[in-house]
Amino acid sequence: MTIIINDAEGINGMRAVGRLTGQLLDYLTPFVKPGVTTNELDRLAEQYTTQVLHATSAPLDYQPAGYVPYPKSICTSINHQVCHGIPNDKPLKKGDIVNIDVTLIKDGWHGDSSRMFVVGEASIAARRLCALTYESLWHGIMQVRPGAYLGDIGHAIQKFAEGHGLSVVREFCGHGIGRKFHDEPQVLHYGKPGTLDKLEAGMIFTIEPMLNAGRRDIKELGDGWTIVTKDHSLSAQWEHTILVTPEGYEVLTLSEGGPPLPAFVKA
Ligand code: MF3
Ligand code: CO
Ligand code: CO
């Protein structure tokens, strides 16, 4: 149970892959339109990753213990799909909300980020869920500084989410990341302040809350990957890769094309 403290070389490697990860999401953004299939987004992502970014897609053939190998380069989770949706030939339609989750490997380092996209115009409820989940991620990020606890992050997210009538998925969490895709610690999106591991400068992990409009319960589909809400309510997720700095935090997967930071995040 040890959390890696990255040295300057690791931090530079993670900054570089984090930048590329944000760049890939920016590249995909204009293609997320009614009529595009998630297989087409997957193909565009794989091509841009290898040919432009000179990087590798970590999800392709990824096989944690107990899983079948993941068959695609990105995850695309639509509407009531919570996470790990597998791209297919079904076109996106107006009103869908879709999470695109990308993980790149560059020089052995991993960068992991996901965003929500609204296809055409979505309902007010769908847009509200996406916006509040984004804000919940940033409430978690703002807890990050040396001496804070992992439980502070989870608590901030849970309090904000439940305060707005949304539920927090428990079965999946953020994770340490670096030379490994999924490393210690687990970064829960619920919890109590002052509990779990104490943060130190040089730690790098993701925060990636999944919030449901309905109940928190989930189930896995027969493909061995796709997670959906049990009650079929809408679900949203946003993810960034975060470095603990001596002053607080650095978001490694920021990019020009992402959404503006929430107003409550001070520069
Ligand atoms: N990117 C996901 C995460 O945030 C993991 C996806 S595993 C995959 O941790 F195999 F489905 F890609
Ligand atoms: Co992740
Ligand atoms: Co991810």
Side-chain angles (χ1 to χ4, degrees), residues 101 112 173-175 181-182 206 208 239:
D101 191 342
D112 192 3
C173 55
H175 48 92
F181 187 169
H182 292 106
T206 73
E208 49 183 295
E239 176 177 26

Side-chain angles (χ1 to χ4, degrees), residues 15 19 26-27 39 42 46 51 61-62 84 92-93 101 119 144 152-153 156 159 166 176 196 205-206 227 243 256 262:
R15 278 190 180 126
R19 195 173 313 119
D26 289 356
Y27 168 74
N39 265 348
D42 180 71
E46 177 62 23
Q51 294 174 29
D61 292 324
Y62 184 61
H84 304 166
L92 295 177
K93 58 183 194 305
D101 191 342
V119 182
V144 175
D152 300 346
I153 299 172
K159 189 172 154 222
L166 304 173
L196 306 173
F205 49 80
T206 73
I227 304 297
L243 164 69
E256 298 203 333

Side-chain angles (χ1 to χ4, degrees), residues 95-118:
D96 284 341
I97 56 170
V98 56
N99 174 275
I100 302 183
D101 191 342
V102 302
T103 310
L104 297 194
I105 309 173
K106 178 81 169 184
D107 298 329
W109 301 102
H110 290 73
D112 192 3
S113 185
S114 82
R115 297 180 192 159
M116 294 304 296
F117 297 85
V118 169

Side-chain angles (χ1 to χ4, degrees), residues 14 35 50 97 103 141-142 176 202:
M14 289 298 287
T50 55
I97 56 170
T103 310
I141 290 171
M142 286 174 62

Side-chain angles (χ1 to χ4, degrees), residues 202-223:
M203 291 179 176
I204 299 178
F205 49 80
T206 73
I207 305 177
E208 49 183 295
M210 283 143 274
L211 303 188
N212 298 346
R215 299 179 63 85
R216 67 177 171 85
D217 309 72
I218 57 153
K219 63 184 183 197
E220 188 183 292
L221 297 188
D223 61 20

Side-chain angles (χ1 to χ4, degrees), residues 6 25 29 42 48-49 66 68 87 96 104 123 127 133 141 143 168 177 185-186 195 204 208 241 243 261:
N6 289 273
L25 287 170
T29 299
D42 180 71
Y48 188 77
T49 297
V68 295
D96 284 341
L104 297 194
S123 68
R127 282 185 280 134
T133 305
I141 290 171
Q143 299 300 314
V168 179
I177 183 166
Q186 297 195 59
T195 64
I204 299 178
E208 49 183 295
T241 298
L243 164 69
L261 309 194

Side-chain angles (χ1 to χ4, degrees), residues 56-84:
T56 308
S57 302
L60 190 59
D61 292 324
Y62 184 61
Q63 186 175 22
Y67 283 78
V68 295
Y70 189 76
K72 300 283 177 172
S73 299
I74 63 174
C75 297
T76 51
S77 304
I78 303 162
N79 297 334
H80 70 294
Q81 296 178 346
V82 174
C83 63
H84 304 166

